[in-house]
Amino acid sequence: MDYKSKIRTIPDYPAKGIMFRDVTTLMSDSEALAAAIEDLCRPFERMNVSKVAGIDARGFILGGAMAVRLGAGFLPLRKPGKLPYETWSESYALEYGSDALHMHTDGVEEGEQVLLVDDLIATGGTAEAGVKLLRKGKADIVAAAFLIDLPDLGGARTLRELGVEVMSLVTFTGH
């Protein structure tokens, strides 16, 4: 599957000089979405993944489908104020300010095999926060999987430096 042809690029969004990679076009194509789920899952089929942790919000779409495909549970990593039970929080830097991810304190058990999933990795701040949350729960992170990697922004490198294997289906150079 030529995934790049299924992803719309929007220049100068949300700011001048940014090339926004819009995965909603891929997700609206049933054949492309099914192929992407299969290709994202394939490396992990024999790894006994017990949970797929999806990052708010497009990581929920991919992660839920991947969890079903892998016979695993789904764990949402959400923005502040969205989870009803006790949570752990990890803040991360944005270009202008900061944000945070939350996870239920009982979301994972020690040693559980967890796959972290999102649509795109850029600078890696959000994914790094996800890794830190999963490690608070003493999960074993088998890898992080993304539709898109923007390698020039260094996020995948950051995760690898944390000891997390990274895989993506496509890469785009630049921002």
Side-chain angles (χ1 to χ4, degrees):
M1 172 72 61
D2 177 13
Y3 294 113
K4 279 189 175 183
S5 72
K6 302 294 183 181
I7 298 167
R8 175 173 38 206
T9 298
I10 302 170
D12 299 322
Y13 182 84
K16 188 159 181 62
I18 302 291
M19 299 296 281
F20 186 83
R21 308 304 176 172
D22 179 12
V23 298
T24 63
T25 50
L26 181 147
M27 291 179 175
S28 70
D29 179 322
S30 63
E31 186 177 308
L33 179 59
I37 297 302
E38 288 296 315
D39 288 345
L40 285 166
C41 287
R42 190 168 291 113
F44 311 106
E45 289 174 339
R46 291 184 172 83
M47 294 184 117
N48 297 317
V49 172
S50 57
K51 294 236 172 85
V52 175
I55 295 175
D56 201 343
R58 288 176 295 273
F60 292 179
I61 298 164
L62 298 170
M66 290 173 69
V68 170
R69 172 73 176 75
L70 292 170
F74 177 75
L75 174 65
L77 303 181
R78 301 224 50 196
K79 301 292 172 128
K82 301 294 183 182
L83 292 173
Y85 186 65
E86 294 174 26
T87 64
W88 286 316
S89 174
E90 262 317 311
S91 295
Y92 57 95
L94 296 169
E95 191 172 350
Y96 302 104
S98 65
D99 207 345
L101 278 182
H102 287 246
M103 178 182 85
H104 280 144
T105 57
D106 63 354
V108 293
E109 294 180 17
E110 185 173 346
E112 222 173 352
Q113 302 288 301
V114 180
L115 175 62
L116 181 65
V117 176
D118 205 359
D119 65 322
L120 179 141
I121 182 145
T123 63
T126 310
E128 182 177 357
V131 166
K132 289 177 179 178
L133 283 172
L134 293 169
R135 287 186 172 159
K136 279 184 183 180
K138 299 184 179 165
D140 180 12
I141 304 167
V142 298
F146 306 91
L147 283 176
I148 300 169
D149 179 14
L150 303 178
D152 295 348
L153 297 178
R157 181 176 57 249
T158 297
L159 291 187
R160 288 183 184 105
E161 289 169 358
L162 291 171
V164 177
E165 178 186 335
V166 178
M167 72 86 65
S168 63
L169 296 184
V170 257
T171 59
F172 286 95
T173 56
H175 301 120

